[in-house]
Amino acid sequence: MLKVTKFGGSSLASAEQFKKVASIVLADKTRRYVVPSAPGKRHKQDTKITDMLYQCYEETAKKGEISPVFEDIKERYSSIIEGLELDLDLEKDFEIIKLSFLARAGRDYAASRGEYLNGKILAKYLGFDFIDAAEVIFFNNDGSFDAEKTNDVLSERLKNSDYAVIPGFYGVMPNDTIKTFSRGGSDITGAIVARAASADEYENWTDVSGFMIADPRIVDNPKSIDVITYRELRELSYMGATVLHEDAIFPVKKAGIPIHIKNTNAPDDEGTLIVTHTDKKSSSNVITGIAGKKDFTVLTLEKDMMNEEKGFGRRLLQVLERNDMSFEHLPSGIDTMSVVVSDKELEGKEDIIISELLQLTSPDSISIEKNIALIAVVGRGMKNVKGTAASVFMALAENDINIRMIDQGSSELNIIVGVDNADFEKSIRTIYAKLVK
Ligand code: ASP
């Protein structure tokens, strides 16, 4: 058994948090490779080290002298080192960082120092090896991630180290400059290390006890999801629910490694396990999660005998393609076909789309419904249980919510309902109350 553990910024924001992390890591000998983020916020008004580094770098570049924020950054790290009573001196590192800032080593270099320094502290505190991500995580010249080279070099390197800390968020370009992933990218590093180590599990420690069935800003105190499949997660995160960086899923999903989302501040909570496949039902509920997004438009074309007309659908979609638009859903009836597009995609293109649709498909009518919110009810369990869709529709009807559109994915993994933007929150609460026991 081998686990790769990634800790987010709030898990490593202070000496006190570091202590929690160490007790988690050291409690389980299989937690062999640790990927830290930079120190995050200690409280709501606090600033993340990563943001301080960006600010410091920009101010330094502008003025040609080191920004005062540099001292604040040093101070944050010193207070962690002192709080842990560590015999560690980062003065030399800070000197190099200062000179590099003055020499304009780049924004990415600047931001990456948050993880680099935190990794050094954590390695020392745990008694683990420190592996600089710049030696094992590679990018191509065009800025894309070089997955294969990274996997080759990193897996070799890990063979020589039983216990190591590898800082998250950055790697190196072919010309030796530092490059970072997008914000929140330590999740990606964790997944890359898990793949290279052929880990049995990728633990992602954060400050929530896993994914919630619904957005806690909408539903009061929602239950958390115990097990979710990658496909369900993709459906939900596409519809706006995320705790994890999207790109972080790919390397581990491909390798069939489960991700376990855990809470550093409540390590005994079960968290959420993300797996490729499971026969296990999600708790006692048929559904796994509910998520949604506002601001869609539904274009509905009606034409008598549409069912017999060959190529109608192709012509409709051709109009979208020509105008460089993607669509979300395509519900259809015998003589109607609707296409659901996000308002963002449609912006500024509405007139041309309508006129081309009229020209190419000669419909009897086109109707446009705006301000539609889409809600996805997702659950692998729905396939084997009758009446889930009926319950969703009944619950909405009973609560006086008008359903503007229905679509069920062909995998029977989700039911999508469209409601007025104004009914969005109420709909989610209603569905949750009906289906989550
Ligand atoms: N520290 C980086 C950020 O704030 C990366 C991470 O935390 O995952 O985006």
Side-chain angles (χ1 to χ4, degrees):
M1 183 79 172
L2 189 162
K3 289 179 192 161
V4 168
T5 56
K6 180 257 167 182
F7 290 88
S10 61
S11 300
L12 293 163
S14 63
E16 196 189 322
Q17 290 298 90
F18 261 77
K19 288 179 187 169
K20 291 184 195 169
V21 166
S23 74
I24 290 166
V25 173
L26 300 175
D28 181 347
K29 283 255 166 280
T30 68
R31 293 186 174 127
R32 289 184 33 202
Y33 302 119
V34 183
V35 175
S37 281
K41 294 183 182 192
R42 292 160 294 185
H43 46 81
K44 265 214 171 89
Q45 286 78 31
D46 206 8
T47 313
K48 284 175 148 198
I49 283 283
T50 310
D51 293 312
M52 294 170 84
L53 285 161
Y54 282 126
Q55 190 198 344
C56 179
Y57 182 74
E58 266 147 35
E59 287 178 8
T60 305
K62 219 191 256 161
K63 287 193 205 135
E65 62 186 62
I66 197 76
S67 149
V69 179
F70 193 74
E71 284 306 313
D72 301 338
I73 295 167
K74 270 176 92 170
E75 178 48 40
R76 288 260 335 242
Y77 284 106
S78 302
S79 82
I80 293 173
I81 293 171
E82 276 161 32
L84 299 175
E85 296 174 34
L86 272 183
D87 177 21
L88 177 68
D89 184 3
L90 293 178
E91 202 43 53
K92 268 205 194 102
D93 286 297
F94 277 114
E95 234 4 81
I96 295 171
I97 294 170
K98 189 193 266 180
L99 292 174
S100 307
F101 274 36
L102 289 165
R104 302 190 179 215
R107 280 185 97 236
D108 281 20
Y109 167 81
S112 76
R113 297 305 87 185
E115 273 64 15
Y116 171 83
L117 294 165
N118 228 23
K120 283 206 143 176
I121 299 174
L122 187 61
K124 175 86 181 174
Y125 190 49
L126 294 172
F128 282 20
D129 298 333
F130 174 78
I131 299 177
D132 187 352
E135 291 167 17
V136 288
I137 306 265
F138 301 98
F139 290 92
N140 296 305
N141 270 323
D142 65 1
S144 59
F145 169 59
D146 188 344
E148 291 325 306
K149 180 174 177 192
T150 299
N151 200 52
D152 290 348
V153 174
L154 182 55
S155 54
E156 271 311 305
R157 182 68 185 266
L158 295 178
K159 278 184 199 150
N160 298 320
S161 179
D162 288 340
Y163 291 92
V165 172
I166 305 103
F169 194 36
Y170 70 93
V172 71
M173 297 281 288
N175 67 359
D176 278 343
T177 56
I178 297 287
K179 179 169 167 52
T180 62
F181 292 107
S182 55
R183 292 300 303 265
S186 298
D187 281 343
I188 306 175
T189 310
I192 292 165
V193 174
R195 179 188 167 204
S198 300
D200 297 287
E201 195 169 296
Y202 168 30
E203 286 184 337
N204 193 297
W205 292 81
T206 155
D207 52 8
V208 290
S209 294
F211 299 123
M212 307 288 143
I213 293 179
D215 188 337
R217 288 166 300 187
I218 299 173
V219 172
D220 214 17
N221 219 351
K223 290 192 172 169
S224 59
I225 300 171
D226 52 0
V227 184
I228 186 169
T229 64
Y230 282 110
R231 284 184 59 207
E232 288 175 310
L233 185 65
R234 167 125 174 87
E235 299 277 349
L236 287 171
S237 59
Y238 183 70
M239 290 299 277
T242 40
V243 197
L244 201 66
H245 201 298
E246 274 261 304
D247 294 341
I249 294 180
F250 187 64
V252 272
K253 180 182 172 195
K254 209 171 148 200
I257 301 168
I259 306 177
H260 201 165
I261 310 287
K262 297 273 289 173
N263 188 347
T264 302
N265 303 318
D268 293 333
D269 284 0
E270 223 186 305
T272 299
L273 190 65
I274 311 166
V275 295
T276 315
H277 199 80
T278 178
D279 294 327
K280 200 174 158 208
K281 277 211 314 193
S282 47
S283 338
S284 51
N285 301 308
V286 179
I287 62 155
T288 305
I290 310 164
K293 283 201 272 201
K294 286 185 181 173
D295 299 329
F296 292 92
T297 296
V298 184
L299 300 168
T300 301
L301 284 76
E302 238 187 285
K303 189 175 189 181
D304 269 346
M305 311 296 283
M306 183 193 287
N307 62 322
E308 292 193 354
E309 184 176 327
K310 301 206 168 67
F312 187 91
R314 177 179 53 75
R315 286 192 288 277
L316 189 164
L317 295 180
Q318 200 178 354
V319 172
L320 299 185
E321 187 178 355
R322 263 201 222 157
N323 289 283
D324 195 29
M325 274 179 67
S326 61
F327 67 97
E328 307 288 321
H329 298 281
L330 196 70
S332 65
I334 302 173
D335 290 333
T336 61
M337 197 171 274
S338 301
V339 54
V340 184
V341 294
S342 75
D343 288 354
K344 241 206 234 125
E345 287 273 316
L346 194 60
E347 211 179 278
K349 293 181 180 166
E350 197 172 318
D351 293 344
I352 176 112
I353 295 280
I354 302 287
S355 93
E356 289 188 15
L357 282 174
L358 287 170
Q359 241 173 41
L360 245 92
T361 66
S362 321
D364 297 337
S365 70
I366 298 186
S367 66
I368 304 172
E369 290 187 83
K370 297 196 166 184
N371 302 320
I372 302 287
L374 296 181
I375 297 169
V377 182
V378 176
R380 60 190 179 276
M382 291 195 301
K383 206 154 60 186
N384 308 314
V385 177
K386 292 190 188 77
T388 314
S391 305
V392 171
F393 306 147
M394 283 271 288
L396 293 172
E398 279 162 15
N399 283 278
D400 233 14
I401 296 165
N402 190 11
I403 302 178
R404 313 290 296 270
M405 186 212 84
I406 297 171
D407 195 15
Q408 178 165 31
S410 30
S411 59
E412 272 192 70
L413 195 65
N414 62 17
I415 299 165
I416 310 276
V417 287
V419 297
D420 283 334
N421 272 345
D423 286 332
F424 178 67
E425 286 84 2
K426 184 178 170 193
S427 302
I428 290 187
R429 283 194 283 271
T430 301
I431 297 169
Y432 182 91
K434 182 78 174 188
L435 292 180
V436 180
K437 299 285 170 265

Coordinates of all heavy atoms in Angstrom, one line a residue, residues 198-253:
S198 N 2.8 5.0 -8.8 CA 1.8 4.0 -8.9 C 1.1 3.8 -7.5 O 1.0 2.7 -7.0 CB 2.4 2.6 -9.3 OG 3.1 2.7 -10.5
A199 N 0.6 4.9 -7.0 CA 0.0 4.9 -5.7 C -1.3 4.1 -5.7 O -1.9 4.0 -6.7 CB -0.3 6.3 -5.2
D200 N -1.7 3.6 -4.5 CA -2.9 2.9 -4.4 C -4.0 3.9 -4.1 O -5.2 3.7 -4.4 CB -2.9 1.9 -3.2 CG -1.9 0.8 -3.5 OD1 -2.1 0.0 -4.3 OD2 -0.8 0.9 -2.9
E201 N -3.6 5.1 -3.6 CA -4.6 6.1 -3.3 C -4.0 7.5 -3.3 O -2.8 7.7 -2.9 CB -5.3 5.9 -1.9 CG -6.5 6.6 -1.7 CD -7.3 6.2 -0.4 OE1 -7.7 5.0 -0.4 OE2 -7.4 7.0 0.5
Y202 N -4.7 8.5 -3.9 CA -4.3 9.9 -3.9 C -5.2 10.6 -2.9 O -6.3 10.8 -3.1 CB -4.4 10.5 -5.3 CG -4.2 12.0 -5.4 CD1 -3.4 12.7 -4.5 CD2 -4.8 12.7 -6.4 CE1 -3.3 14.1 -4.6 CE2 -4.7 14.0 -6.5 CZ -3.9 14.7 -5.6 OH -3.8 16.1 -5.7
E203 N -4.6 10.9 -1.7 CA -5.3 11.6 -0.7 C -5.2 13.2 -0.9 O -4.1 13.7 -1.0 CB -4.8 11.3 0.7 CG -5.2 9.9 1.2 CD -4.8 9.7 2.6 OE1 -3.8 10.4 3.1 OE2 -5.3 8.8 3.3
N204 N -6.3 13.8 -1.0 CA -6.3 15.3 -1.2 C -6.9 15.9 0.1 O -8.1 15.9 0.3 CB -7.1 15.6 -2.4 CG -6.9 17.0 -2.9 OD1 -7.3 17.9 -2.2 ND2 -6.3 17.2 -4.1
W205 N -6.0 16.5 0.9 CA -6.5 17.0 2.2 C -6.8 18.5 2.1 O -5.9 19.3 1.6 CB -5.4 16.8 3.3 CG -5.2 15.3 3.6 CD1 -4.5 14.4 3.0 CD2 -5.8 14.7 4.8 NE1 -4.6 13.2 3.6 CE2 -5.4 13.3 4.7 CE3 -6.6 15.0 5.8 CZ2 -5.7 12.4 5.6 CZ3 -7.0 14.1 6.8 CH2 -6.5 12.8 6.7
T206 N -7.9 18.9 2.5 CA -8.4 20.3 2.4 C -9.1 20.7 3.7 O -8.8 20.2 4.7 CB -9.2 20.4 1.1 OG1 -10.1 21.5 1.2 CG2 -10.1 19.2 0.9
D207 N -10.0 21.7 3.6 CA -10.6 22.1 4.8 C -12.1 21.8 4.8 O -12.9 22.4 5.5 CB -10.4 23.6 5.1 CG -10.7 24.5 3.9 OD1 -11.2 24.0 2.9 OD2 -10.4 25.7 3.9
V208 N -12.5 20.9 3.9 CA -13.9 20.5 4.0 C -13.9 18.9 4.0 O -13.0 18.3 3.5 CB -14.7 20.9 2.7 CG1 -15.0 22.4 2.8 CG2 -14.0 20.6 1.4
S209 N -15.0 18.3 4.5 CA -15.0 16.9 4.6 C -15.5 16.3 3.3 O -16.5 15.5 3.4 CB -15.8 16.5 5.8 OG -15.1 16.9 7.0
G210 N -15.0 16.6 2.2 CA -15.4 16.0 0.9 C -16.4 16.8 0.2 O -16.6 18.0 0.5
F211 N -16.9 16.3 -0.9 CA -17.9 17.0 -1.7 C -19.3 16.9 -1.0 O -19.6 15.9 -0.4 CB -18.0 16.3 -3.1 CG -16.8 16.4 -3.9 CD1 -16.2 15.2 -4.3 CD2 -16.1 17.6 -4.1 CE1 -15.1 15.2 -5.1 CE2 -15.0 17.6 -4.9 CZ -14.4 16.4 -5.3
M212 N -20.0 18.0 -1.1 CA -21.4 18.0 -0.6 C -22.4 17.6 -1.7 O -22.1 17.8 -2.9 CB -21.8 19.4 -0.2 CG -20.8 20.0 0.8 SD -20.9 19.3 2.4 CE -19.2 19.3 2.9
I213 N -23.5 17.0 -1.3 CA -24.5 16.6 -2.3 C -25.0 17.8 -3.1 O -25.3 17.7 -4.2 CB -25.6 15.8 -1.6 CG1 -25.1 14.5 -1.1 CG2 -26.8 15.6 -2.5 CD1 -26.1 13.6 -0.3
A214 N -25.1 18.9 -2.3 CA -25.5 20.2 -3.0 C -24.7 21.3 -2.5 O -24.0 21.2 -1.4 CB -27.0 20.4 -2.8
D215 N -24.7 22.4 -3.2 CA -24.0 23.6 -2.8 C -24.5 24.1 -1.4 O -25.6 24.5 -1.3 CB -24.2 24.7 -3.9 CG -23.3 25.9 -3.6 OD1 -22.9 26.2 -2.5 OD2 -23.1 26.6 -4.6
P216 N -23.6 24.2 -0.4 CA -24.0 24.6 0.9 C -24.4 26.1 1.0 O -25.0 26.5 1.9 CB -22.7 24.4 1.8 CG -21.6 24.3 0.8 CD -22.1 23.8 -0.5
R217 N -24.1 26.9 -0.1 CA -24.6 28.2 -0.1 C -26.1 28.3 -0.5 O -26.8 29.3 -0.3 CB -23.8 29.1 -1.1 CG -22.4 29.4 -0.6 CD -21.6 29.9 -1.8 NE -21.5 28.9 -2.8 CZ -20.7 29.0 -3.9 NH1 -20.0 30.1 -4.1 NH2 -20.7 28.1 -4.8
I218 N -26.6 27.1 -1.0 CA -28.0 27.0 -1.4 C -28.8 26.2 -0.4 O -29.9 26.5 0.0 CB -28.1 26.5 -2.8 CG1 -27.4 27.5 -3.8 CG2 -29.6 26.4 -3.2 CD1 -27.3 27.0 -5.2
V219 N -28.2 25.0 -0.2 CA -28.9 24.1 0.8 C -28.2 24.2 2.1 O -27.0 24.1 2.2 CB -28.8 22.6 0.2 CG1 -29.4 21.6 1.2 CG2 -29.6 22.5 -1.1
D220 N -29.1 24.3 3.2 CA -28.5 24.4 4.5 C -27.9 23.1 4.9 O -28.6 22.0 4.9 CB -29.7 24.8 5.4 CG -29.3 25.7 6.5 OD1 -28.2 26.2 6.4 OD2 -30.0 25.8 7.5
N221 N -26.6 23.1 5.3 CA -26.0 21.9 5.8 C -26.2 20.6 5.1 O -26.7 19.6 5.6 CB -26.6 21.8 7.3 CG -25.5 21.3 8.2 OD1 -24.4 21.0 7.8 ND2 -25.8 21.3 9.5
P222 N -25.8 20.6 3.8 CA -26.1 19.4 3.0 C -25.2 18.3 3.4 O -24.1 18.5 4.0 CB -25.7 19.8 1.6 CG -24.7 20.9 1.8 CD -25.1 21.6 3.1
K223 N -25.6 17.0 3.2 CA -24.8 15.9 3.5 C -23.7 15.8 2.6 O -23.7 16.3 1.4 CB -25.7 14.6 3.4 CG -26.7 14.5 4.4 CD -27.3 13.1 4.4 CE -28.2 12.9 5.6 NZ -29.0 11.7 5.4
S224 N -22.6 15.1 3.0 CA -21.5 14.9 2.0 C -21.6 13.6 1.3 O -22.4 12.7 1.7 CB -20.1 15.0 2.7 OG -20.0 14.1 3.7
I225 N -20.9 13.5 0.2 CA -21.0 12.3 -0.7 C -19.9 11.4 -0.2 O -18.7 11.8 -0.1 CB -20.7 12.7 -2.2 CG1 -21.7 13.8 -2.6 CG2 -20.6 11.5 -3.1 CD1 -21.4 14.4 -4.0
D226 N -20.2 10.1 0.0 CA -19.2 9.2 0.5 C -18.4 8.6 -0.7 O -17.1 8.6 -0.6 CB -19.7 8.1 1.4 CG -20.9 7.4 0.9 OD1 -21.3 7.7 -0.3 OD2 -21.4 6.5 1.5
V227 N -19.1 8.1 -1.7 CA -18.3 7.6 -2.9 C -18.9 8.2 -4.1 O -20.2 8.2 -4.3 CB -18.5 6.0 -2.9 CG1 -17.7 5.5 -4.1 CG2 -18.0 5.4 -1.6
I228 N -18.1 8.6 -5.0 CA -18.6 9.1 -6.3 C -17.7 8.6 -7.4 O -16.5 8.4 -7.2 CB -18.5 10.7 -6.2 CG1 -19.2 11.3 -7.5 CG2 -17.1 11.2 -6.0 CD1 -19.4 12.8 -7.3
T229 N -18.2 8.4 -8.6 CA -17.4 7.9 -9.7 C -16.8 9.1 -10.5 O -17.4 10.2 -10.4 CB -18.2 7.0 -10.7 OG1 -19.2 7.8 -11.3 CG2 -18.8 5.8 -10.0
Y230 N -15.7 8.9 -11.2 CA -15.2 10.0 -12.0 C -16.2 10.6 -12.9 O -16.2 11.8 -13.2 CB -14.0 9.5 -12.8 CG -12.7 9.3 -11.9 CD1 -12.2 8.1 -11.6 CD2 -12.1 10.5 -11.5 CE1 -11.1 8.0 -10.9 CE2 -10.9 10.3 -10.7 CZ -10.4 9.1 -10.4 OH -9.3 9.0 -9.6
R231 N -17.0 9.7 -13.5 CA -18.0 10.2 -14.5 C -19.1 11.1 -13.8 O -19.5 12.1 -14.3 CB -18.7 9.1 -15.2 CG -17.7 8.5 -16.3 CD -18.4 7.4 -17.1 NE -19.6 7.9 -17.8 CZ -20.6 7.1 -18.1 NH1 -20.5 5.8 -17.8 NH2 -21.6 7.6 -18.7
E232 N -19.5 10.7 -12.6 CA -20.5 11.5 -11.9 C -19.8 12.8 -11.5 O -20.5 13.9 -11.6 CB -20.9 10.8 -10.6 CG -21.8 9.6 -10.8 CD -22.1 8.9 -9.5 OE1 -21.1 8.6 -8.8 OE2 -23.3 8.7 -9.2
L233 N -18.6 12.8 -11.1 CA -17.9 14.0 -10.7 C -17.8 15.0 -11.9 O -18.0 16.2 -11.7 CB -16.5 13.6 -10.2 CG -15.7 14.8 -9.6 CD1 -16.4 15.4 -8.4 CD2 -14.3 14.4 -9.3
R234 N -17.5 14.4 -13.0 CA -17.4 15.2 -14.2 C -18.7 15.9 -14.5 O -18.8 17.1 -14.8 CB -16.9 14.4 -15.4 CG -17.1 15.0 -16.7 CD -15.8 15.0 -17.5 NE -16.0 15.5 -18.8 CZ -16.0 16.8 -19.1 NH1 -15.7 17.7 -18.2 NH2 -16.2 17.2 -20.4
E235 N -19.8 15.2 -14.4 CA -21.1 15.8 -14.6 C -21.4 16.9 -13.6 O -21.8 18.0 -14.0 CB -22.3 14.7 -14.4 CG -22.2 13.6 -15.3 CD -22.8 13.8 -16.7 OE1 -23.5 14.9 -16.8 OE2 -22.7 13.0 -17.6
L236 N -21.0 16.7 -12.4 CA -21.3 17.7 -11.3 C -20.4 18.9 -11.5 O -20.8 20.0 -11.3 CB -21.2 17.1 -9.9 CG -22.3 16.1 -9.5 CD1 -22.0 15.4 -8.2 CD2 -23.6 16.9 -9.4
S237 N -19.1 18.6 -11.7 CA -18.2 19.7 -11.8 C -18.4 20.6 -13.0 O -18.3 21.8 -13.0 CB -16.7 19.3 -11.6 OG -16.4 18.5 -12.6
Y238 N -18.9 19.9 -14.1 CA -19.2 20.7 -15.3 C -20.3 21.6 -15.0 O -20.4 22.7 -15.5 CB -19.6 19.7 -16.4 CG -19.9 20.4 -17.7 CD1 -18.9 21.1 -18.4 CD2 -21.3 20.6 -18.2 CE1 -19.2 21.8 -19.6 CE2 -21.5 21.3 -19.3 CZ -20.5 21.9 -20.0 OH -20.8 22.6 -21.1
M239 N -21.2 21.2 -14.1 CA -22.4 22.0 -13.8 C -22.0 23.0 -12.6 O -22.9 23.5 -11.9 CB -23.6 21.2 -13.4 CG -24.2 20.5 -14.6 SD -24.7 21.6 -15.9 CE -26.4 22.0 -15.3
G240 N -20.8 23.1 -12.3 CA -20.4 24.2 -11.4 C -20.0 23.8 -10.0 O -19.5 24.6 -9.2
A241 N -20.0 22.5 -9.7 CA -19.6 22.0 -8.4 C -18.1 21.6 -8.4 O -17.8 20.7 -9.1 CB -20.4 20.9 -7.9
T242 N -17.3 22.3 -7.7 CA -15.9 21.9 -7.6 C -15.2 22.1 -6.3 O -15.4 23.1 -5.7 CB -14.9 22.6 -8.7 OG1 -15.3 23.9 -8.7 CG2 -15.0 21.9 -10.0
V243 N -14.4 21.2 -5.9 CA -13.5 21.4 -4.8 C -12.0 21.1 -5.3 O -11.1 21.4 -4.7 CB -13.7 20.5 -3.6 CG1 -13.1 21.0 -2.3 CG2 -15.2 20.3 -3.4
L244 N -12.0 20.5 -6.5 CA -10.7 20.0 -7.0 C -10.5 20.6 -8.3 O -11.4 20.8 -9.1 CB -11.0 18.4 -7.2 CG -9.8 17.5 -7.2 CD1 -9.1 17.6 -5.9 CD2 -10.2 16.1 -7.5
H245 N -9.2 20.8 -8.6 CA -8.8 21.3 -9.9 C -9.2 20.3 -11.0 O -8.8 19.1 -10.9 CB -7.3 21.5 -9.9 CG -6.8 22.5 -11.0 ND1 -7.0 22.2 -12.3 CD2 -6.2 23.7 -10.9 CE1 -6.5 23.2 -13.0 NE2 -6.1 24.2 -12.2
E246 N -9.9 20.7 -12.1 CA -10.3 19.7 -13.1 C -9.2 18.9 -13.7 O -9.3 17.7 -13.8 CB -11.0 20.5 -14.3 CG -12.4 20.8 -14.1 CD -13.3 19.9 -14.8 OE1 -13.1 19.8 -16.0 OE2 -14.1 19.2 -14.2
D247 N -8.1 19.6 -14.0 CA -6.9 18.8 -14.6 C -6.3 17.8 -13.7 O -5.5 17.0 -14.1 CB -5.8 19.8 -15.1 CG -6.3 20.7 -16.2 OD1 -7.3 20.3 -16.8 OD2 -5.7 21.8 -16.4
A248 N -6.6 17.9 -12.4 CA -6.0 17.0 -11.4 C -6.6 15.6 -11.5 O -6.0 14.7 -11.0 CB -6.2 17.6 -10.0
I249 N -7.7 15.5 -12.2 CA -8.4 14.3 -12.2 C -7.8 13.3 -13.3 O -7.6 12.1 -13.1 CB -9.9 14.5 -12.5 CG1 -10.4 15.3 -11.3 CG2 -10.6 13.2 -12.8 CD1 -11.9 15.6 -11.4
F250 N -7.3 13.9 -14.4 CA -6.9 13.2 -15.5 C -5.8 12.2 -15.3 O -6.0 11.0 -15.5 CB -6.5 14.1 -16.7 CG -6.2 13.4 -17.9 CD1 -7.2 12.7 -18.6 CD2 -4.9 13.5 -18.5 CE1 -6.9 12.1 -19.8 CE2 -4.7 12.8 -19.6 CZ -5.7 12.1 -20.3
P251 N -4.6 12.6 -14.7 CA -3.5 11.6 -14.5 C -3.9 10.4 -13.6 O -3.5 9.3 -13.9 CB -2.4 12.4 -13.8 CG -2.8 13.8 -14.0 CD -4.3 13.9 -14.2
V252 N -4.7 10.6 -12.6 CA -5.0 9.5 -11.7 C -6.2 8.7 -12.2 O -6.2 7.4 -12.1 CB -5.4 10.0 -10.3 CG1 -4.1 10.0 -9.4 CG2 -6.1 11.3 -10.2
K253 N -7.1 9.3 -12.9 CA -8.2 8.6 -13.5 C -7.7 7.6 -14.5 O -8.1 6.4 -14.6 CB -9.2 9.6 -14.2 CG -10.4 8.9 -14.8 CD -11.2 9.9 -15.5 CE -12.3 9.2 -16.3 NZ -13.0 10.1 -17.3

